Every structure is written in structure tokens, then in C-alpha cells.
Amino acid sequence: MLNSRFILLVLGLLLVVEGVFMLLSAGIAALYNEYDLPYHLISSGICISIGGTIAGIFFKAPKDIGKREGYLVVTMVWVVFSIFGLLPFWLSGAIPSFTDAFFETISGFTTTGSSILNDIEALPHGLLFWRSLIQWLGGMGIIVLSLAILPLLGVGGMQMFVAEVPGPVPDKLHPRIKETAKRLYGIYVLFTLVEALLLVLGGMTPFDAICHSFTTMATGGYSTKQASIAYYDSSYLQYVMIFFMFLAGANFTLSFSALKGRFSKVIKDEEFQSYFGIVVGMSLVVAVVLYFTGGSEGIEQSVRDSLFQVVSIITTTGYATADYLLWAPFLSIIIFLLMFFGGSAGSTGGGIKIVRIVLLMKNSYYELKRLVHPNAVIPVRYNERAVGQGIITNVLAFIVIYMMIVGLSMIVMSMMGYSLDTSLGAVATSIGNIGPGLGEVGPASNFYNIPAFGKWFLSILMLIGRLEIFTVILIFSPYFWKE
Amino acid sequence: MLNSRFILLVLGLLLVVEGVFMLLSAGIAALYNEYDLPYHLISSGICISIGGTIAGIFFKAPKDIGKREGYLVVTMVWVVFSIFGLLPFWLSGAIPSFTDAFFETISGFTTTGSSILNDIEALPHGLLFWRSLIQWLGGMGIIVLSLAILPLLGVGGMQMFVAEVPGPVPDKLHPRIKETAKRLYGIYVLFTLVEALLLVLGGMTPFDAICHSFTTMATGGYSTKQASIAYYDSSYLQYVMIFFMFLAGANFTLSFSALKGRFSKVIKDEEFQSYFGIVVGMSLVVAVVLYFTGGSEGIEQSVRDSLFQVVSIITTTGYATADYLLWAPFLSIIIFLLMFFGGSAGSTGGGIKIVRIVLLMKNSYYELKRLVHPNAVIPVRYNERAVGQGIITNVLAFIVIYMMIVGLSMIVMSMMGYSLDTSLGAVATSIGNIGPGLGEVGPASNFYNIPAFGKWFLSILMLIGRLEIFTVILIFSPYFWKE
Ligand SMILES: [K+]
Ligand SMILES: [K+]
């Protein structure tokens, strides 16, 4: 039987946590003495009182949970966080439509960063801060966060961790789940602080620097400026962001190794090699073409614009310094295809993820071998270990289902009258947690004009993408509910 | 060591066969007493003399061949047939450009049906007949043809058959390979004759009826009219073609069963069930939307137009009665997505094929089961048999590689300045052997304006699609050539 009391306990506790974080943005609002202060406090009060009541009622719930509870908690916590997280935007009237407020919030928590705001600078500091903070909280994962700060959840932590961070190749760090969560958060906080400092040194205000380093490290992509990073006419700031976007899209476990001085581990990692290779290779191609087709001015700017855009899309951050839709079709199609790569496993990035692409390429090569030698058993190897057939099937199924969802969702978007490129772009950017799309939802535009149904639909896609598909599909399958 | 002498022997013999078939179109040219007669005879003479000489030289070649020779022969024979098959078009001056003539011919043999002709009706009857005949020959497969008529090839027939018709689930008929080939051809000829007869009864000229039944049964899609089937303002003719396109996209082995009265075998076949379900379901959806958005006039025409277009695309025939690009975006996107389905295994249709989609859907469901019960071993079942994990991996790898080729090829097309939908449409229709695409290569347009490089590139895609990807990729991989 489903242990629904434990699920409610967890949700209640986490809601309290969300309410506590809202006090941070209340603090910012107080600091700037702006009109949104009461709404942060009210929202926080709602979260803490409702969450606390539920947690209190179910405090004695049995703590043994299985896989099903894990998948359910994880999916529900993202929805609950978004529903309560929209309160400051909605109650304050900054985003009057409930649908819009939900879209903006789940787009934040899932680190998608697609926005419905037409005048971001009009928002008070407290709301801008909350908008960035939810990305930062979502970036490392809500469950990872809770494991790091709520020892109570250690019991079923493993089940939830796997449901939230399902990556195909098991990580050696899993067994010591709480240690892992704390370590990941340590690096996350460290990188965020360092980036913020470097941004301040480049002339950004401390407030904007904190907000941007939140959304960089989360590969979230929300900016405090309507024009995104293009607002800052500073190559220094852009290079700093390129570097930290790259870090955020890399495996945090590798960053931990690097910080410990074990660089050989980083260099030998096959996913990192591919990640680095794709970024450098694609940036080079884009830079050369961009230089000769005249989308940017001069060599340095061509290199910087292409590097920024390639890193921004492949890490699924989605910051914009240039409108790639104005580039040559060749370049915008490359940028579009990069939406299907995504960050590394164990990063804050979304998308299909590099490790799956690597396993896919390797298996394809082995399929060719098997055609000539059908009886030879040659397992795919990854980071010097043999990869089981089950993992390969899972990876391939993941990619195919990902593509199927993209295809079917295109149909849904086209029902609202959108053309092929707008439909495809909106869907690919939502499920990939990227932010900007193609056509009417390109980097120079936003999602304000999408009908309400479309906004809810894309919100679901963001969640499906964030939880790497299977978790969400699973709980909607009848099989899951069969005893 | 590679048995290259046997390869040359086979190619020589098949070239003679091609030359003999050219005499058929020479006969048509003689019948109509048109200017192209000598060019058919010259082309035939070239094929028979060159082919005969090569076959004569290597007649005593050792007959033992392995997988590698199988893959090589199959790929080369399609290229050789196209290079020599273009002679009547090129020598007669009907298609003055060698590139265009090659494109038109390989598009014919691979049953793609993308054309560069701006005035099809201007062609003499002999050339129109040849254009339809090459589709008919390519439809059932050149190797299947040769197995049916050249007993000599029986030795290595199995190797070549598998390379040309690789379908994921082994067919029980394989062992008696020559019998199978003859039986398939018997049904193919029978259906072609019956369709031609029915078309004549509907008022089509016998010449047009034969040409159209050739290209229907081959799921080729070449028409003798510039306006394709829209030229015939006859719902009877359209329904006849819908029926035979559907037959051509079904497994011919099942048609054989049906002709023997074993209907239960047809109804129980999982691929057929899905094929039928998709056709009916999608046609219904399209018909309803088409009726209400006003793309066609009246209920009957809405049903007929949608049925025709859905069947035409899913079977990869590519005939046009309506320009789906003028329909609502929702409908053109559905038509576009149908390009990724394709016909049944053992049919003349291209694309990913229904059986792979079925196995994909089943495996996806099992992946969800495995999430909850990771240790349960539950094989995917298809037509009441357990499907090995190797086949599942192969199917998934096929689909993913198919998508990867589509993605990379889009980049190549965009280098020539094409937009996303034109690039995507041209690529999807070429690798799927369908015919019409999107944007500038939609059903109301053709491929004449594509630059020469693009035509050669799309030709390769057609071949890759026709031979179901692995065969062609394999012979271009260094691994294949390693001893
Ligand atoms: K993002
Ligand atoms: K076709």
C-alpha cells in the first residue's frame, strides 16, 4: 500500500523550507523598502503555516518508503513548490494572471527560464531576487536540497534521489547520499559566491551579480534585465558567465575532484571530454561562419558571441547576448540542434545530457560491428567499465521517448495555430529546460502571447524534462497505480 | 579477403538485366513512334554490352560470399542501376543535366519520387514509362528481383537479402530464399495488374494506368502528370489508389496469407493492427479538422483528401491530391510527423517502419515497469514471441541514428541557405523515401532549384533510407574494411 502519510509529511516539511527561503526575498524587499515586502511575508506565512500543519499531522507517519513513494514525492514537490512559489508574484499584482504566475514560477524552479514578463526591470528587487532564487533552488534539485538540510529524510532519501536525478550510469557517490548532497551544495554555494564576486569586479551591482550568479549556476537563465546579458556591453562579464555556465553544465562531482587537485580524473572522464569537445568544436564552427556571414562585428566579437551562445544553449542556461534567429539559417539550425544535447550528468543542466549522447554514439558503432559479427558479445565500455545492456536500452529508450514527446507536443502547439518552427522551438526549449526557442518564442521575444492552455502544457513539459521523463510518465501510467 | 570478383560478376549480370528492362521502354517508344526510341536502344546496348563483358570476365569467380560481400553488392547495385538507368533521360536530352538525371533516377529506384521535372507531360511515353518502371523495379528491391529470376545468385542470396531487406524481426520465410522472392514477385505483379485494370475502368488511359499502378505498388509516387493525382478529378480513381497504396504499405507476406484465405493471420498480426489503426485514426483526426478549418469542400471530400494524404505519406508513396502545406498548421505538422512512421516490414514502403514503432512503444512501457521492478526480467513480446534484447537495442539504435542523420543533414541543407522547414522537410522526405517535403520542396513544388551539391547529398540520403541505414553506414565505416 502506498505510504501516503509519509508523502504528505515530506511535502509539508519542504513547504516550510520554501516559506523560510521566502523570508530571504522579504529581507531584500525590506532592504530596498519597496511595495512587495508584505506579499513576501504573507506568502511565507502561508507556506510555513500550511506546511507546518500538514507536517505536524503526519509527523508520526511510518518512514519506510519504496520506489513508488519516491517517484510520487519528487514529482509532487516540484508542483507544490511552483504553486506556492508563485504567491509573491501573484499576490503583489506584479503578475496578475494566475496562469502567467504559475508559468513564470515553474519555468524558474525547473531552471527553464522561459518568461512571460514584458518589462522585467519594472519588478521590485524583492521579486527579482525571488525569481532568481527559485532557479537557484531548483538547479541543484529540491530533493538534493532537502537531503542536505533535513536529516529526517535520510530514510527514503535514496529512493527520492534516484527519482530526481536519474542519470543513466550509477554514480559511486550514491550510497552515502547525505554526504553527497552536502558536498554538491558546498560546491554549488562556493561557485555561486565566486561568480558573484567576479561579476561585481566587472562593474555589476552586487544585487544583479547575486541574481545572475544564482541563475548561471542553476543553468536557469533568468536575468534581471529585459535584454538579458545583451544589456551589459562588457566582454569581461560575458567571459565570466561563459566560464561559469560551462562549470554549471559540467558534472559537479568532477568539479569536486578538480578542487581536490585530482585533475587527471577530470581529463580522463569521457563525458567531460565530449562536453569540452562539443563546446569548442561547435563554437569554432559558429564563430567562423558568423565572422564571414557578418552576424557580429570583428573576430573577437564573433568568437565571443558564438562561444556565449553555444555554451548558453548546450548547458541549457538560455542567456542571450545575440538573437541567433537573425543569424544565417545554418547557424540558427546548429543552435536549435544543440538544444537536444544538454548538460552533463550530475550538473544543473537539462536536456538529453552528454552521457546519453556518448553512450548512443558508442552503441551505434557496436551495432555496426554486430552486423558483421552477429555472435560476438562486445559490451559498450564507458569510463573503463562495461555498460550493461539494460542501461543501453534505457538510454536509447530515453532518447526515443524524448523525441516522441517533442513530436506529439508539436502537434499540441500547432493546434493553437503556431507554425512548425514556433511549435518545435517552444517544445524543444521547454522539455530541454533551456528558455528561448524559435520563431515567435525566439530569444528576442517571450512566452507572454501563448494562450493559457499552451502555458500549462509547456509547464508540464518543463517538469517532464527536469525530472528526465520517466519519473513523470511513470506516475501517469496505470501500471504505476496497480497494486 | 574480399571476394571482389563475385561482386563484379553480380553487378555485371544485373546490369544486363537492367538493359533488358530498358528494351521494354524502347518497345513503348516504338509503339508511340516518338523521338526517344534510339536513346532507349543505345542505353540498353550500353548496359547489356558492359554488363555482359564484366559478367563474362568474372563468370568463373568463386561463389562463396560472406556478409561483407553481401553489404557491398547491395549498396553498389543501387548506385550502378541509377548511373546506368539515367542514360535514357540524359542521352535523349529530356533531362540535360547529369546531376538532375541522376537525382531523378535514384529518386525513382529508391522509390522516393522526388522530382526535378517542371513539365512532366512534355516527356515522351517511353521515358515516362521508364520513369515509372524503375520505381516498380526498385519497389520490391533489386536483389529480390534478381533472386527471383537469376538462380545463379542463390548461393549468396541470403547474405544479400538480409542486407537489402534488413527488417528487425526475422521472417520465417528467409530460409527458402528463392521461393520467397518468387512468391513476393507473384503478388507484386498480380496487385499491379489488378490496380491497372481498375484504373482503366475508372477512365484512365491504359498507359497512365500501368504507370500509376507501377508507382503505387512500389510506394514510389512518380506520376505521369505534373499535378500528380490532383490531375484526375475522380473520387473513384482516388479510392482505388488509396486501397492499393495501403496494400503496398502492408507486409506482402500477409497479403499472401490473405490470398490463401488465412485472414486470421492478418488480423492477429500486431504490425498490421497498428498500421491499420494509425491510418484510420489519423485520417479521422485530419478529416474532422480539415472539414472544420475548410481545407476541402464537404464531408466526403474532407474524408477522401485526408485519407489519401495520410495513406500517401505513411506508406511513403508521396502522391498528392491536395497541398497539405495550405492546410492548417496542425494538419501539416501531423502530415510531417507521419513521414517518420513509414510502411510495414516486408512492404515496398520506406521510413522507420511500423514494426519498429510498435517495438519502441512496447519497450517504452517495459522501461517504466523496470523502474518499479528493476530486477524483473520481462522480455518484450511481439506476435506472441519473445523479442531478444539485441533486437530491441537494434531497433532503438536504428530510430536514434535515423533521427541523428536527419539532424545532421538539416545542417547540410541549411548551409545552402534553406530555412528550418525546407531543410527538415527535404531531409525527412529523402531518407524516408517519401517524395514531397515542406517549405520550398512541398507537394506543389519540386527539387529542381536545389543546388547540385544538395541533389547529390539528398540522393545519398535516399539510398541510406532505402537500405535501412546500417548497410550504407557500415560500408563507409573503417571497421568494415579492417581485415
Ligand atoms: K534554462
Ligand atoms: K515515395
Side-chain angles (χ1 to χ4, degrees):
Chain A
M1 233 201 54
L2 203 65
N3 185 349
S4 48
R5 288 157 66 203
F6 182 74
I7 294 176
L8 286 164
L9 168 60
V10 174
L11 292 178
L13 283 175
L14 287 175
L15 197 49
V16 173
V17 172
E18 185 174 16
V20 172
F21 275 103
M22 278 177 184
L23 294 177
L24 282 181
S25 36
I28 299 286
L31 196 69
Y32 285 89
N33 196 19
E34 284 170 328
Y35 76 90
D36 54 327
L37 175 57
Y39 306 106
H40 292 288
L41 293 172
I42 296 170
S43 306
S44 173
I46 293 174
C47 290
I48 293 174
S49 58
I50 294 184
T53 308
I54 293 173
I57 294 173
F58 297 104
F59 200 73
K60 293 207 173 298
K63 303 287 185 292
D64 57 315
I65 69 164
K67 286 185 180 300
R68 292 203 304 166
E69 285 84 357
Y71 289 115
L72 265 177
V73 163
V74 166
T75 309
M76 288 174 73
V77 80
W78 286 80
V79 175
V80 168
F81 260 47
S82 299
I83 289 173
F84 285 86
L86 64 77
L87 291 176
F89 300 120
W90 191 48
L91 296 179
S92 67
I95 304 180
S97 145
F98 184 82
T99 296
D100 283 355
F102 181 81
F103 182 88
E104 192 79 10
T105 309
I106 197 166
S107 172
F109 273 119
T110 59
T111 74
T112 307
S114 300
S115 180
I116 54 85
L117 291 171
N118 286 312
D119 187 4
I120 293 175
E121 278 98 328
L123 254 60
H125 289 79
L127 288 176
L128 284 177
F129 183 81
W130 178 239
R131 189 166 169 269
S132 307
L133 182 61
I134 59 180
Q135 291 217 314
W136 193 78
L137 293 175
M140 191 52 86
I142 296 171
I143 294 298
V144 178
L145 167 70
S146 62
L147 291 173
I149 58 173
L150 292 180
L152 167 81
L153 297 186
V155 195
M158 183 68 180
Q159 302 297 358
M160 293 185 283
F161 190 84
V162 172
E164 188 175 73
V165 192
V169 181
D171 199 312
K172 272 185 194 147
L173 290 169
H174 272 182
R176 295 163 60 210
I177 202 82
K178 265 180 286 186
E179 279 309 303
T180 304
K182 277 185 190 162
R183 188 177 288 173
L184 289 175
Y185 251 86
I187 305 169
Y188 196 44
V189 171
L190 177 71
F191 285 170
T192 306
L193 290 176
V194 174
E195 186 192 346
L197 189 68
L198 290 174
L199 292 178
V200 169
L201 290 179
M204 217 183 248
T205 68
F207 176 80
D208 286 342
I210 286 283
C211 287
H212 279 111
S213 63
F214 276 169
T215 59
T216 309
M217 286 316 300
T219 65
Y222 274 159
S223 171
T224 50
K225 305 296 173 190
Q226 189 70 37
S228 189
I229 311 306
Y231 174 91
Y232 298 99
D233 197 16
S234 156
S235 46
Y236 166 81
L237 290 178
Q238 290 183 20
Y239 283 117
V240 168
M241 286 184 168
I242 289 169
F243 179 74
F244 282 93
M245 284 195 284
F246 183 82
L247 273 187
N251 191 329
F252 277 73
T253 310
L254 287 184
S255 295
F256 184 76
S257 297
L259 288 175
K260 289 260 174 186
R262 294 197 294 265
F263 294 103
S264 70
K265 224 184 149 185
V266 179
I267 293 164
K268 274 195 208 153
D269 185 81
E270 289 192 44
E271 188 182 31
F272 185 79
Q273 290 166 355
S274 303
Y275 175 50
F276 189 81
I278 294 168
V279 166
V280 171
M282 296 316 284
S283 301
L284 213 65
V285 171
V286 173
V288 169
V289 178
L290 196 57
Y291 180 71
F292 286 106
T293 59
S296 302
E297 278 170 37
I299 291 183
E300 191 274 336
Q301 200 195 329
S302 298
V303 170
R304 177 159 44 85
D305 279 357
S306 59
L307 196 59
F308 193 97
Q309 224 46 67
V310 166
V311 171
S312 173
I313 295 295
I314 203 172
T315 62
T316 73
T317 308
Y319 281 149
T321 53
D323 184 353
Y324 51 77
L325 293 181
L326 301 179
W327 292 354
F330 170 67
L331 295 178
S332 51
I333 284 180
I334 284 193
I335 295 290
F336 163 68
L337 289 173
L338 284 177
M339 291 187 181
F340 292 92
F341 282 72
S344 310
S347 76
T348 61
I352 287 175
K353 300 229 158 85
I354 309 286
V355 55
R356 292 199 177 87
I357 308 279
V358 172
L359 288 174
L360 158 68
M361 300 304 292
K362 290 201 165 195
N363 184 66
S364 304
Y365 180 68
Y366 283 90
E367 284 297 324
L368 293 182
K369 278 200 175 181
R370 285 181 203 122
L371 282 184
V372 189
H373 303 296
N375 299 319
V377 178
I378 334 165
V380 173
R381 299 189 73 80
Y382 176 74
N383 281 342
E384 299 179 356
R385 278 185 292 177
V387 179
Q389 189 75 13
I391 291 176
I392 297 292
T393 316
N394 181 279
V395 165
L396 293 172
F398 178 92
I399 297 175
V400 175
I401 295 172
Y402 194 96
M403 293 301 178
M404 266 173 33
I405 296 176
V406 169
L408 295 174
S409 305
M410 265 173 74
I411 298 183
V412 175
M413 292 308 292
S414 69
M415 278 163 43
M416 284 166 269
Y418 288 111
S419 67
L420 188 131
D421 52 344
T422 301
S423 303
L424 186 53
V427 165
T429 206
S430 296
I431 195 172
N433 299 135
I434 298 158
L438 304 173
E440 294 177 46
V441 291
S445 181
N446 65 35
F447 287 70
Y448 180 76
N449 290 318
I450 305 263
F453 171 75
K455 283 173 182 155
W456 288 99
F457 181 76
L458 293 178
S459 300
I460 295 171
L461 281 186
M462 293 175 195
L463 188 61
I464 288 178
R466 186 67 211 171
L467 299 181
E468 309 209 354
I469 292 180
F470 289 125
T471 298
V472 181
I473 298 182
L474 182 65
I475 69 160
F476 281 107
S477 72
Y479 177 77
F480 183 79
W481 297 98
K482 264 200 314 230
E483 214 49 54
Chain B
M1 235 201 55
L2 203 67
N3 186 349
S4 50
R5 288 156 68 202
F6 183 74
I7 294 176
L8 286 164
L9 169 60
V10 175
L11 292 177
L13 283 174
L14 287 174
L15 197 48
V16 173
V17 172
E18 184 173 18
V20 172
F21 275 103
M22 278 177 184
L23 293 176
L24 283 180
S25 34
I28 299 288
L31 196 68
Y32 285 89
N33 196 19
E34 284 170 328
Y35 76 89
D36 55 326
L37 174 57
Y39 305 106
H40 291 289
L41 293 173
I42 295 170
S43 306
S44 173
I46 292 174
C47 290
I48 293 174
S49 57
I50 294 185
T53 307
I54 293 174
I57 294 173
F58 297 104
F59 200 72
K60 293 207 174 301
K63 303 288 184 292
D64 57 312
I65 70 165
K67 285 185 180 301
R68 293 204 303 165
E69 285 85 357
Y71 289 115
L72 264 177
V73 163
V74 165
T75 309
M76 287 173 75
V77 79
W78 287 80
V79 176
V80 168
F81 260 49
S82 300
I83 289 173
F84 285 87
L86 65 77
L87 291 177
F89 300 120
W90 191 49
L91 296 178
S92 68
I95 304 180
S97 144
F98 184 83
T99 297
D100 283 356
F102 181 82
F103 182 88
E104 191 80 11
T105 310
I106 198 166
S107 173
F109 274 118
T110 59
T111 74
T112 307
S114 299
S115 180
I116 54 87
L117 291 171
N118 286 313
D119 187 4
I120 292 173
E121 278 99 328
L123 255 57
H125 289 79
L127 288 177
L128 284 176
F129 183 81
W130 178 239
R131 189 165 169 269
S132 306
L133 182 61
I134 58 180
Q135 291 217 313
W136 194 77
L137 294 176
M140 192 51 85
I142 297 171
I143 294 298
V144 178
L145 167 69
S146 62
L147 291 172
I149 58 173
L150 293 180
L152 167 80
L153 297 186
V155 195
M158 184 68 180
Q159 302 297 357
M160 292 186 283
F161 190 85
V162 172
E164 189 175 73
V165 192
V169 181
D171 199 313
K172 272 185 197 151
L173 290 169
H174 272 184
R176 296 163 59 209
I177 201 83
K178 265 180 287 185
E179 280 310 303
T180 304
K182 278 185 189 164
R183 187 177 287 173
L184 290 174
Y185 251 86
I187 305 168
Y188 195 44
V189 171
L190 177 70
F191 285 170
T192 306
L193 290 175
V194 173
E195 186 192 348
L197 189 68
L198 290 173
L199 293 178
V200 170
L201 291 178
M204 217 182 252
T205 67
F207 176 81
D208 285 342
I210 285 283
C211 287
H212 279 111
S213 63
F214 276 169
T215 60
T216 309
M217 287 316 299
T219 65
Y222 273 159
S223 171
T224 51
K225 307 294 175 192
Q226 189 70 39
S228 190
I229 310 308
Y231 173 92
Y232 299 99
D233 196 17
S234 156
S235 47
Y236 166 81
L237 290 179
Q238 290 184 18
Y239 283 118
V240 169
M241 285 183 169
I242 289 170
F243 180 73
F244 282 92
M245 284 195 284
F246 183 82
L247 273 188
N251 191 331
F252 276 74
T253 310
L254 287 183
S255 294
F256 184 78
S257 297
L259 289 176
K260 289 258 174 188
R262 295 196 293 267
F263 294 103
S264 71
K265 226 187 148 183
V266 180
I267 293 163
K268 274 193 208 156
D269 186 79
E270 289 192 43
E271 186 178 28
F272 185 80
Q273 292 167 353
S274 304
Y275 175 50
F276 188 81
I278 295 168
V279 166
V280 170
M282 296 316 285
S283 300
L284 214 65
V285 171
V286 174
V288 170
V289 178
L290 196 57
Y291 180 71
F292 286 106
T293 58
S296 302
E297 279 170 37
I299 292 182
E300 191 273 338
Q301 200 194 331
S302 298
V303 171
R304 178 158 43 85
D305 279 356
S306 60
L307 196 59
F308 192 96
Q309 224 45 67
V310 166
V311 171
S312 174
I313 295 295
I314 203 172
T315 62
T316 74
T317 309
Y319 282 149
T321 53
D323 184 354
Y324 50 76
L325 294 182
L326 301 179
W327 292 354
F330 170 67
L331 295 178
S332 51
I333 283 180
I334 284 192
I335 295 291
F336 163 69
L337 290 173
L338 284 177
M339 292 188 181
F340 291 92
F341 282 73
S344 311
S347 76
T348 61
I352 287 175
K353 300 227 159 85
I354 309 287
V355 55
R356 291 199 178 87
I357 308 280
V358 172
L359 289 175
L360 158 69
M361 300 305 293
K362 290 200 164 193
N363 184 65
S364 304
Y365 180 69
Y366 282 92
E367 284 297 324
L368 293 181
K369 277 199 174 181
R370 286 184 203 118
L371 282 183
V372 188
H373 302 296
N375 299 319
V377 178
I378 334 164
V380 173
R381 298 190 72 80
Y382 176 73
N383 280 343
E384 299 181 357
R385 278 184 291 178
V387 179
Q389 189 75 12
I391 290 176
I392 296 293
T393 317
N394 180 280
V395 165
L396 294 172
F398 178 91
I399 297 175
V400 174
I401 295 172
Y402 194 96
M403 293 301 179
M404 263 173 34
I405 296 177
V406 168
L408 295 176
S409 304
M410 265 174 75
I411 298 182
V412 175
M413 292 308 293
S414 70
M415 277 163 42
M416 285 167 271
Y418 288 112
S419 67
L420 188 133
D421 51 345
T422 300
S423 302
L424 185 53
V427 164
T429 206
S430 296
I431 196 173
N433 299 134
I434 298 157
L438 305 172
E440 295 176 44
V441 292
S445 181
N446 63 36
F447 288 69
Y448 180 75
N449 289 320
I450 304 264
F453 171 76
K455 282 172 183 156
W456 288 98
F457 181 75
L458 293 178
S459 300
I460 295 171
L461 282 186
M462 293 174 193
L463 189 60
I464 288 178
R466 186 66 211 174
L467 298 180
E468 308 207 354
I469 292 180
F470 289 126
T471 299
V472 180
I473 298 181
L474 183 64
I475 69 160
F476 281 107
S477 72
Y479 177 76
F480 183 76
W481 297 98
K482 265 202 310 230
E483 214 46 55

